[in-house]
Amino acid sequence: YRSVGPTAGVAEFLATLAVITLTWRVRAEKRVFLPTAISAALMLTAHVLFYVVVQPANTTMAAWSLEAIPAEWTSWRDRWEYGHAARAGLILVAFCALVISALGGGEEGRAKDR
């Protein structure tokens, strides 16, 4: 993971900036603004979750030697795994919101275009 981590982190950061920029650009289009803003907020929340939950676990576990793993290691592992699972859920919902935005806000948006 050491070789993928920095690249994935940069890509995720740039994707979040792109969605924030898109949110700003569509702010006048009511039917697409809300799902785009929700997507941006969820992506930002996923970043915060990484730095508050996952990264402290990464740092703590990286400091352990294989000969001296502490008894409470499972709580750190669980924190790491649940943090990643929560982030995956947030990013999935953010993607779905972005797809809804790209489709013009769903049925209501298409009905207004007719």
Side-chain angles (χ1 to χ4, degrees), residues 49-60 80:
L49 193 62
F50 176 81
Y51 289 106
V52 170
V53 176
V54 177
Q55 186 57 29
N58 284 340
T59 303
T60 300
W80 185 86

Side-chain angles (χ1 to χ4, degrees), residues 59-83:
T59 303
T60 300
M61 292 187 295
W64 297 341
S65 71
L66 292 178
E67 294 81 27
I69 295 175
E72 77 279 0
W73 71 271
T74 56
S75 65
W76 284 102
R77 180 211 49 209
D78 291 347
R79 176 181 175 150
W80 185 86
E81 288 201 18
Y82 291 135

Side-chain angles (χ1 to χ4, degrees), residues 25-55:
R25 301 239 2 213
V26 301
R27 68 189 181 279
E29 300 176 39
K30 290 182 180 181
R31 66 178 183 220
V32 297
F33 173 74
L34 184 59
T36 307
I38 289 170
S39 180
L42 291 172
M43 291 176 76
L44 284 170
T45 303
H47 278 285
V48 169
L49 193 62
F50 176 81
Y51 289 106
V52 170
V53 176
V54 177
Q55 186 57 29

Side-chain angles (χ1 to χ4, degrees), residues 89-106:
L90 288 169
I91 292 170
L92 175 63
V93 175
F95 176 72
C96 292
L98 201 55
V99 168
I100 289 168
S101 173
L103 294 174

